[in-house]
Amino acid sequence: MIPDTMTAVLLTGHGGIDKLDYRTDVPTPRPGPGEVLIRVAAAGVNNTDINTRIGWYSKAVTEDTGTGGAEGFDTVDDADASWSGVPLTFPRIQGADVCGQVVAVGEGVHPSRIGERVIVRNMLRTYVDYRPYECWTIGSECDGGFAQFCVAPARETHAVDCDWTDAELAAIPCAYSTAENMLHRAGLGAEKVLITGASGGVGSAAVQLAKRRGAHVIALCSPAKVDAVRALGADQVLDRGADIVAELGEVSVDVVVDLVAGDGWPALLDVLRRGGRYATAGAIAGPICQIDIRTLYLKDLTLYGCTFQEDVVFENLVRYIEAGEIRPVVAATYPLCEIAKAQEDFLAKTHTGQLVLIPPEVAR
């Protein structure tokens, strides 16, 4: 039975954690043509959710994500504070990670899909007619997984056959697709790769996925997390505050996968070999960096900004899961009503891996 109303967390505007409104009377969505309705079993917590809430994507914001993570920013321009650059519509149900069970289908979707255990591709192409370099982020441009039910395009809702918990599956869509996309775009093979922010959701995913490709992984993280990151498969772990040029030497790395940016960014290009590649999908230490263009062109470097994902990226993740080639680390789970606590803990960054929210069960 699908109830008329559901429990969900509504984002009521850009700002602090107080903008998250836990409600039990939100209308349950209905699937339209080509869509499925998912009973959400678990939803991961990501930088994407926090960045969208605080409006960090606005060019008016120049600080690191942690500075405004709890309270928000005073400088946000709502006009460009989303992934797409189009103002968000409020209230919005966030949640870029969706794991659950299909319970209803819209017109044009075969009823046999009902009952499937699924995850949803977080960078949706259906709603932009699969145009290159365009996408909607679930939980940003459309409602996401911080609720008992969620609607998603059937074409981008993937059945997964594995023995993982729901929380483990919910750790995959945003973090692992972001990591795999960077490795895919940079064409990483059996090479030497430097990964920043290696203890976070995306960073820990990148370590595992890079090892799967046969790479020699050098990871940067805080000293307290060295053992945990090494357990993920990293071959070498350095303090995130280390002088990486002194530790590794110039022109010593084939690929850099960066989620941090900030003041230490120039050194990442210094350690790249001639013809090396740099890929980024985050800037948690600050989005404004200084570049010496001579380093870029004299070393024949290639820089990749990675948001849009080709279809094969998410399809590969499902294949890796079903083949038992990867497995996420879930640091903690929280009931959906404790979303504020979950985001506070996420911002504290004392964990390794993913934090996951569990919606209340639905009467059946």
Side-chain angles (χ1 to χ4, degrees):
M1 177 179 176
I2 300 170
D4 292 332
T5 60
M6 66 176 183
T7 297
V9 176
L10 301 182
L11 177 66
T12 58
H14 291 300
I17 291 175
D18 61 312
K19 294 292 186 180
L20 297 172
D21 185 14
Y22 182 81
R23 300 280 295 274
T24 59
D25 59 351
V26 177
T28 302
R30 303 298 178 190
E35 295 179 332
V36 297
L37 179 67
I38 300 163
R39 183 172 59 239
V40 180
V45 177
N46 294 283
N47 271 314
T48 294
D49 308 308
I50 292 172
N51 292 347
T52 297
R53 169 172 58 76
I54 64 179
W56 182 80
Y57 299 111
S58 171
K59 293 294 179 64
V61 177
T62 59
E63 295 94 333
D64 62 276
T65 57
T67 296
E71 303 298 331
F73 294 105
D74 295 330
T75 55
V76 171
D77 181 352
D78 288 354
D80 70 342
S82 71
W83 280 84
S84 64
V86 176
L88 260 63
T89 300
F90 298 106
R92 170 66 69 221
I93 299 172
Q94 292 190 277
D97 286 333
V98 178
C99 167
Q101 184 181 46
V102 175
V103 293
V105 298
E107 181 183 350
V109 182
H110 200 280
S112 63
R113 297 214 57 181
I114 294 175
E116 288 181 352
R117 188 185 188 212
V118 297
I119 55 176
V120 180
R121 172 178 173 165
N122 56 301
M123 305 301 287
L124 300 173
R125 301 188 65 197
T126 296
Y127 299 127
V128 292
D129 297 325
Y130 277 72
R131 292 186 294 271
Y133 294 102
E134 290 188 47
C135 55
W136 280 14
T137 304
I138 191 166
S140 177
E141 282 68 43
C142 59
D143 287 340
F146 292 165
Q148 290 179 307
F149 294 92
C150 175
V151 162
R155 185 174 177 180
E156 299 182 271
T157 299
H158 295 256
V160 184
D161 181 13
C162 70
D163 63 356
W164 292 13
T165 65
D166 293 329
E168 287 176 313
L169 271 180
I172 289 293
C174 184
Y176 276 74
S177 71
T178 299
E180 177 68 8
N181 190 43
M182 287 190 285
L183 304 185
H184 174 76
R185 295 277 286 276
L188 180 70
E191 302 172 282
K192 186 175 288 188
V193 59
L194 174 65
I195 299 172
T196 68
S199 64
V202 180
S204 61
V207 171
Q208 291 186 19
L209 291 164
K211 289 303 296 180
R212 186 202 158 274
R213 290 169 174 255
H216 178 93
V217 174
I218 305 166
L220 296 182
C221 68
S222 65
K225 300 175 183 176
V226 168
D227 290 342
V229 171
R230 201 180 299 278
L232 293 170
D235 298 285
Q236 183 177 356
V237 185
L238 300 178
D239 186 329
R240 64 186 181 189
D243 181 339
I244 61 172
V245 176
E247 293 279 355
L248 302 175
E250 294 188 358
V251 298
S252 58
V253 173
D254 299 296
V255 175
V256 168
V257 170
D258 182 30
L259 303 157
V260 175
D263 293 339
W265 187 82
L268 299 176
L269 300 194
D270 291 336
V271 299
L272 277 172
R273 66 165 172 81
R274 295 184 182 278
R277 293 100 70 201
Y278 166 93
T280 182
I284 60 173
I288 308 302
C289 302
Q290 188 175 57
I291 183 172
D292 186 332
I293 292 296
R294 292 166 296 189
T295 303
L296 176 62
Y297 76 79
L298 290 174
K299 292 177 68 174
D300 288 292
L301 302 179
T302 302
L303 308 187
Y304 293 97
C306 305
T307 293
F308 173 81
Q309 299 174 7
E310 295 179 358
D311 297 353
V312 69
V313 170
F314 207 86
E315 293 164 0
N316 279 345
L317 286 180
V318 174
R319 180 165 59 83
Y320 302 161
I321 294 168
E322 294 185 335
E325 295 177 353
I326 58 173
R327 192 145 193 168
V329 173
V330 176
T333 62
Y334 305 75
L336 184 61
C337 62
E338 294 184 10
I339 187 171
K341 169 65 172 167
Q343 292 201 357
E344 287 167 357
D345 288 352
F346 184 93
L347 289 164
K349 300 197 179 300
T350 59
H351 64 285
T352 298
Q354 288 283 102
L355 305 182
V356 178
L357 292 164
I358 310 296
E361 289 191 16
V362 180
R364 305 183 189 181

